[in-house]
Amino acid sequence: MAKLEISTVINRPVEEVFAFLSNPENDPKWRSGIEVKKTSEGPIGVGATYRTVVTALGRRIEGENEVTEYEPNRGYAVKSKSGPFPVENGVTFERVEGGTRVTLTTVAEPGGFFKLAEPLLVSMVKRQFEADFVNLKDLMEAHAL
């Protein structure tokens, strides 16, 4: 099982950071190599589903994801329903002086090709998430998002 955790402080109120990040359709605005489309009706919350396409290790990885936890301004979690291997992402939000601490935790169980490449995959994904979080922080603090 592969696990990684990334955290950053964004100098914006927790309500604004949560509102933006809890909508997966905003991911392409700050994350590289991802496409997201909501596939369920109704508001964002537990049970909402999304179709994602991620490019990793030169491969397009398509999958369906479902929101499994959703607590406004505190956190949310998303679990893969399909794709090459199970993935769970949890994002927590914490008020801190001057802004919001955002922490992403990802747990995955790579199989097949991805199992063989697990150490490389974890290293690459961590580097990419770190770069994406720098981008997110810069864009949100510049009020570009």
mmCIF file of all heavy atoms in Angstrom, residues 2 10 35 39 44 46 48 50 54 57 60 62 67 71 73 77 100 116 120-122 132 138 143:
data_model
loop_
_atom_site.group_PDB
_atom_site.id
_atom_site.type_symbol
_atom_site.label_atom_id
_atom_site.label_comp_id
_atom_site.label_asym_id
_atom_site.label_seq_id
_atom_site.Cartn_x
_atom_site.Cartn_y
_atom_site.Cartn_z
ATOM 1 N N ALA A 2 0.558 2.170 -0.854
ATOM 2 C CA ALA A 2 1.319 3.414 -0.960
ATOM 3 C C ALA A 2 0.534 4.529 -0.281
ATOM 4 O O ALA A 2 -0.680 4.629 -0.443
ATOM 5 C CB ALA A 2 1.543 3.749 -2.429
ATOM 6 N N ILE A 10 -2.482 28.267 3.011
ATOM 7 C CA ILE A 10 -2.927 29.239 2.023
ATOM 8 C C ILE A 10 -3.470 30.441 2.788
ATOM 9 O O ILE A 10 -4.331 30.280 3.664
ATOM 10 C CB ILE A 10 -4.003 28.637 1.097
ATOM 11 C CG1 ILE A 10 -3.408 27.454 0.325
ATOM 12 C CG2 ILE A 10 -4.558 29.700 0.145
ATOM 13 C CD1 ILE A 10 -4.406 26.671 -0.490
ATOM 14 N N GLU A 35 -8.238 15.840 -15.939
ATOM 15 C CA GLU A 35 -9.533 16.260 -16.473
ATOM 16 C C GLU A 35 -10.580 15.720 -15.506
ATOM 17 O O GLU A 35 -10.448 14.594 -15.025
ATOM 18 C CB GLU A 35 -9.780 15.654 -17.848
ATOM 19 C CG GLU A 35 -8.740 16.007 -18.893
ATOM 20 C CD GLU A 35 -8.880 15.134 -20.139
ATOM 21 O OE1 GLU A 35 -10.016 14.725 -20.472
ATOM 22 O OE2 GLU A 35 -7.849 14.858 -20.759
ATOM 23 N N THR A 39 -20.505 13.497 -12.818
ATOM 24 C CA THR A 39 -21.376 12.543 -13.504
ATOM 25 C C THR A 39 -22.679 12.298 -12.757
ATOM 26 O O THR A 39 -23.499 11.503 -13.211
ATOM 27 C CB THR A 39 -20.644 11.194 -13.714
ATOM 28 O OG1 THR A 39 -20.188 10.709 -12.455
ATOM 29 C CG2 THR A 39 -19.479 11.355 -14.674
ATOM 30 N N ILE A 44 -22.680 19.102 -4.639
ATOM 31 C CA ILE A 44 -21.466 18.413 -4.218
ATOM 32 C C ILE A 44 -21.681 17.947 -2.781
ATOM 33 O O ILE A 44 -22.145 18.711 -1.942
ATOM 34 C CB ILE A 44 -20.250 19.353 -4.292
ATOM 35 C CG1 ILE A 44 -20.035 19.821 -5.721
ATOM 36 C CG2 ILE A 44 -19.005 18.682 -3.739
ATOM 37 C CD1 ILE A 44 -19.063 20.977 -5.840
ATOM 38 N N VAL A 46 -21.598 13.959 -0.150
ATOM 39 C CA VAL A 46 -21.471 12.505 -0.101
ATOM 40 C C VAL A 46 -22.349 11.891 -1.183
ATOM 41 O O VAL A 46 -23.508 12.242 -1.326
ATOM 42 C CB VAL A 46 -21.841 11.964 1.295
ATOM 43 C CG1 VAL A 46 -21.872 10.439 1.301
ATOM 44 C CG2 VAL A 46 -20.857 12.474 2.341
ATOM 45 N N ALA A 48 -21.773 12.176 -4.477
ATOM 46 C CA ALA A 48 -21.506 12.802 -5.782
ATOM 47 C C ALA A 48 -20.414 12.001 -6.499
ATOM 48 O O ALA A 48 -19.480 11.507 -5.866
ATOM 49 C CB ALA A 48 -21.066 14.253 -5.600
ATOM 50 N N TYR A 50 -17.701 11.598 -10.029
ATOM 51 C CA TYR A 50 -16.920 12.339 -11.017
ATOM 52 C C TYR A 50 -16.148 11.364 -11.879
ATOM 53 O O TYR A 50 -15.654 10.348 -11.393
ATOM 54 C CB TYR A 50 -15.928 13.282 -10.326
ATOM 55 C CG TYR A 50 -16.607 14.336 -9.511
ATOM 56 C CD1 TYR A 50 -17.015 14.086 -8.216
ATOM 57 C CD2 TYR A 50 -16.898 15.578 -10.066
ATOM 58 C CE1 TYR A 50 -17.682 15.046 -7.477
ATOM 59 C CE2 TYR A 50 -17.560 16.546 -9.333
ATOM 60 C CZ TYR A 50 -17.949 16.261 -8.035
ATOM 61 O OH TYR A 50 -18.617 17.212 -7.315
ATOM 62 N N VAL A 54 -6.362 11.096 -15.603
ATOM 63 C CA VAL A 54 -5.077 11.576 -15.099
ATOM 64 C C VAL A 54 -3.984 10.986 -15.962
ATOM 65 O O VAL A 54 -4.056 9.821 -16.358
ATOM 66 C CB VAL A 54 -4.867 11.144 -13.625
ATOM 67 C CG1 VAL A 54 -3.522 11.595 -13.108
ATOM 68 C CG2 VAL A 54 -5.976 11.674 -12.749
ATOM 69 N N LEU A 57 3.055 8.510 -15.531
ATOM 70 C CA LEU A 57 4.016 7.564 -16.124
ATOM 71 C C LEU A 57 3.729 7.354 -17.607
ATOM 72 O O LEU A 57 3.840 6.249 -18.127
ATOM 73 C CB LEU A 57 4.002 6.221 -15.382
ATOM 74 C CG LEU A 57 4.432 6.255 -13.925
ATOM 75 C CD1 LEU A 57 4.322 4.871 -13.305
ATOM 76 C CD2 LEU A 57 5.866 6.770 -13.785
ATOM 77 N N ARG A 60 -2.579 7.305 -19.721
ATOM 78 C CA ARG A 60 -3.839 7.950 -19.351
ATOM 79 C C ARG A 60 -4.595 6.994 -18.433
ATOM 80 O O ARG A 60 -4.859 5.857 -18.814
ATOM 81 C CB ARG A 60 -4.684 8.239 -20.591
ATOM 82 C CG ARG A 60 -4.235 9.463 -21.336
ATOM 83 C CD ARG A 60 -5.053 9.683 -22.610
ATOM 84 N NE ARG A 60 -6.482 9.731 -22.439
ATOM 85 C CZ ARG A 60 -7.191 10.835 -22.225
ATOM 86 N NH1 ARG A 60 -6.581 11.991 -22.152
ATOM 87 N NH2 ARG A 60 -8.501 10.795 -22.104
ATOM 88 N N GLU A 62 -8.034 6.463 -16.523
ATOM 89 C CA GLU A 62 -9.409 6.913 -16.404
ATOM 90 C C GLU A 62 -10.060 6.208 -15.234
ATOM 91 O O GLU A 62 -9.759 5.058 -14.949
ATOM 92 C CB GLU A 62 -10.176 6.598 -17.694
ATOM 93 C CG GLU A 62 -9.632 7.338 -18.897
ATOM 94 C CD GLU A 62 -10.471 7.124 -20.141
ATOM 95 O OE1 GLU A 62 -11.712 7.061 -20.019
ATOM 96 O OE2 GLU A 62 -9.867 7.036 -21.217
ATOM 97 N N VAL A 67 -17.501 10.906 -3.839
ATOM 98 C CA VAL A 67 -17.276 11.619 -2.587
ATOM 99 C C VAL A 67 -17.840 10.742 -1.463
ATOM 100 O O VAL A 67 -19.021 10.374 -1.489
ATOM 101 C CB VAL A 67 -17.959 13.005 -2.592
ATOM 102 C CG1 VAL A 67 -17.780 13.700 -1.248
ATOM 103 C CG2 VAL A 67 -17.396 13.864 -3.718
ATOM 104 N N GLU A 71 -17.666 17.435 4.922
ATOM 105 C CA GLU A 71 -18.003 18.273 6.063
ATOM 106 C C GLU A 71 -17.517 19.687 5.756
ATOM 107 O O GLU A 71 -16.310 19.947 5.767
ATOM 108 C CB GLU A 71 -17.352 17.735 7.338
ATOM 109 C CG GLU A 71 -17.813 18.458 8.571
ATOM 110 C CD GLU A 71 -17.253 17.875 9.863
ATOM 111 O OE1 GLU A 71 -16.658 16.778 9.838
ATOM 112 O OE2 GLU A 71 -17.399 18.550 10.882
ATOM 113 N N ASN A 73 -16.005 23.155 5.318
ATOM 114 C CA ASN A 73 -14.923 23.885 5.968
ATOM 115 C C ASN A 73 -14.046 23.026 6.887
ATOM 116 O O ASN A 73 -13.161 23.544 7.553
ATOM 117 C CB ASN A 73 -15.457 25.109 6.736
ATOM 118 C CG ASN A 73 -16.258 26.008 5.840
ATOM 119 O OD1 ASN A 73 -15.952 26.175 4.665
ATOM 120 N ND2 ASN A 73 -17.312 26.584 6.381
ATOM 121 N N ALA A 77 -13.551 13.548 1.468
ATOM 122 C CA ALA A 77 -12.791 12.393 1.000
ATOM 123 C C ALA A 77 -13.423 11.875 -0.280
ATOM 124 O O ALA A 77 -14.635 11.968 -0.466
ATOM 125 C CB ALA A 77 -12.759 11.290 2.059
ATOM 126 N N THR A 100 -5.409 29.170 6.033
ATOM 127 C CA THR A 100 -5.950 27.816 6.115
ATOM 128 C C THR A 100 -4.855 26.793 5.818
ATOM 129 O O THR A 100 -4.180 26.893 4.788
ATOM 130 C CB THR A 100 -7.081 27.634 5.068
ATOM 131 O OG1 THR A 100 -8.062 28.643 5.280
ATOM 132 C CG2 THR A 100 -7.702 26.258 5.141
ATOM 133 N N LEU A 116 4.614 -2.795 -9.972
ATOM 134 C CA LEU A 116 6.036 -2.903 -10.276
ATOM 135 C C LEU A 116 6.729 -1.549 -10.178
ATOM 136 O O LEU A 116 7.883 -1.453 -9.785
ATOM 137 C CB LEU A 116 6.246 -3.488 -11.681
ATOM 138 C CG LEU A 116 5.754 -4.914 -11.904
ATOM 139 C CD1 LEU A 116 5.868 -5.295 -13.371
ATOM 140 C CD2 LEU A 116 6.546 -5.892 -11.040
ATOM 141 N N LEU A 120 8.657 4.340 -7.814
ATOM 142 C CA LEU A 120 8.777 5.434 -8.775
ATOM 143 C C LEU A 120 7.471 6.231 -8.834
ATOM 144 O O LEU A 120 7.485 7.461 -8.831
ATOM 145 C CB LEU A 120 9.118 4.881 -10.167
ATOM 146 C CG LEU A 120 9.192 5.900 -11.304
ATOM 147 C CD1 LEU A 120 10.305 6.914 -11.048
ATOM 148 C CD2 LEU A 120 9.412 5.178 -12.625
ATOM 149 N N LEU A 121 6.353 5.526 -8.859
ATOM 150 C CA LEU A 121 5.048 6.162 -8.930
ATOM 151 C C LEU A 121 4.825 7.069 -7.716
ATOM 152 O O LEU A 121 4.422 8.225 -7.861
ATOM 153 C CB LEU A 121 3.950 5.095 -9.014
ATOM 154 C CG LEU A 121 2.517 5.596 -9.124
ATOM 155 C CD1 LEU A 121 2.301 6.343 -10.424
ATOM 156 C CD2 LEU A 121 1.541 4.429 -9.029
ATOM 157 N N VAL A 122 5.097 6.569 -6.516
ATOM 158 C CA VAL A 122 4.902 7.356 -5.298
ATOM 159 C C VAL A 122 5.780 8.602 -5.326
ATOM 160 O O VAL A 122 5.325 9.710 -5.028
ATOM 161 C CB VAL A 122 5.178 6.510 -4.033
ATOM 162 C CG1 VAL A 122 5.234 7.392 -2.786
ATOM 163 C CG2 VAL A 122 4.114 5.432 -3.881
ATOM 164 N N ASP A 132 1.874 21.034 -7.557
ATOM 165 C CA ASP A 132 0.496 21.494 -7.711
ATOM 166 C C ASP A 132 0.069 22.342 -6.511
ATOM 167 O O ASP A 132 -0.620 23.352 -6.672
ATOM 168 C CB ASP A 132 -0.456 20.311 -7.884
ATOM 169 C CG ASP A 132 -0.325 19.630 -9.239
ATOM 170 O OD1 ASP A 132 0.219 20.257 -10.180
ATOM 171 O OD2 ASP A 132 -0.772 18.471 -9.364
ATOM 172 N N ASP A 138 -0.100 29.836 -4.762
ATOM 173 C CA ASP A 138 0.193 31.068 -5.513
ATOM 174 C C ASP A 138 -1.067 31.653 -6.140
ATOM 175 O O ASP A 138 -1.329 32.845 -6.041
ATOM 176 C CB ASP A 138 1.235 30.817 -6.604
ATOM 177 C CG ASP A 138 2.639 30.553 -6.048
ATOM 178 O OD1 ASP A 138 2.872 30.773 -4.835
ATOM 179 O OD2 ASP A 138 3.494 30.107 -6.849
ATOM 180 N N HIS A 143 -5.514 35.741 -5.614
ATOM 181 C CA HIS A 143 -6.955 35.862 -5.903
ATOM 182 C C HIS A 143 -7.242 35.594 -7.376
ATOM 183 O O HIS A 143 -8.188 36.144 -7.939
ATOM 184 C CB HIS A 143 -7.488 37.219 -5.460
ATOM 185 C CG HIS A 143 -7.457 37.389 -3.966
ATOM 186 N ND1 HIS A 143 -8.519 37.050 -3.175
ATOM 187 C CD2 HIS A 143 -6.475 37.801 -3.140
ATOM 188 C CE1 HIS A 143 -8.211 37.262 -1.914
ATOM 189 N NE2 HIS A 143 -6.962 37.722 -1.860
#
